[in-house]
Amino acid sequence: MEEQKPKSAAQQKYLRKNYVRFPLDLKPEILEKFREVCQANGTTPTTVIKKAIDDYIAAHS
């Protein structure tokens, strides 16, 4: 997995002001398999989850 670079102070301030965190509890083996499948498909878990949320909103609005 790619190592993430630390965010600058300006980036952290922007994120705190404009975004909220959405914690999600998963079993470790499920998360690891999800990461593997995402990587095999050239994407990231965050991208897949955000797309699922967007699709759900679009389908149910």
Side-chain angles (χ1 to χ4, degrees):
M1 187 175 354
E2 288 183 32
E3 186 176 329
Q4 293 183 351
K5 297 178 184 175
K7 292 180 175 44
S8 70
Q11 286 174 313
Q12 289 176 353
K13 182 178 178 183
Y14 176 82
L15 290 173
R16 280 192 306 270
K17 182 179 177 183
N18 295 291
Y19 289 84
V20 294
R21 304 254 335 140
F22 182 73
L24 180 64
D25 296 327
L26 298 170
K27 290 185 176 185
E29 62 272 14
I30 299 295
L31 179 56
E32 185 56 35
K33 186 63 177 175
F34 186 45
R35 286 177 174 157
E36 290 172 7
V37 172
C38 287
Q39 185 176 22
N41 287 291
T43 190
T44 65
T46 301
T47 299
V48 173
I49 292 167
K50 286 180 177 181
K51 183 174 180 340
I53 292 169
D54 288 343
D55 291 348
Y56 187 87
I57 291 168
H60 295 90
S61 291

